[in-house]
Amino acid sequence: RNLPRDQRAFYFDALKKLADIADQRNDPEAAIAELRQYQEDGGPAVLETYRRLADLHGKLAKQTGDNKEALNA
């Protein structure tokens, strides 16, 4: 968003931390939402984020039994 440069790192770290917390409480949908926000706002760890999203979509597919969910990553 329109944060000063020195605050952007804190913002991105917070989004990643929120995704970690959601994943730890076994809520892949919330974790996916946090990482999507991270991506949309220009988070710098692009490849790592895509890998994490793929993993979370896989977890969500196992929870819901919806194999098509794994393709959304």
Side-chain angles (χ1 to χ4, degrees):
R1 311 281 170 141
N2 294 326
L3 293 172
R5 180 170 289 219
D6 62 332
Q7 293 179 4
R8 289 180 65 80
F10 293 115
Y11 174 70
F12 291 131
D13 288 345
L15 288 174
K16 288 172 63 176
K17 182 68 173 175
L18 288 170
D20 289 343
I21 291 168
D23 189 19
Q24 288 172 357
R25 70 172 191 260
N26 204 24
D27 187 356
E29 281 185 280
I32 288 167
E34 297 297 346
L35 289 178
R36 291 278 185 217
Q37 187 68 48
Y38 177 89
Q39 279 184 321
E40 289 172 14
D41 291 344
V46 177
L47 186 57
E48 173 190 330
T49 304
Y50 277 116
R51 287 180 180 149
R52 184 89 188 278
L53 282 167
D55 179 54
L56 290 166
H57 278 284
K59 288 181 181 183
L60 184 58
K62 286 180 184 177
Q63 279 185 356
T64 62
D66 183 5
N67 290 328
K68 289 185 264 182
E69 182 62 42
L71 298 176
N72 286 331

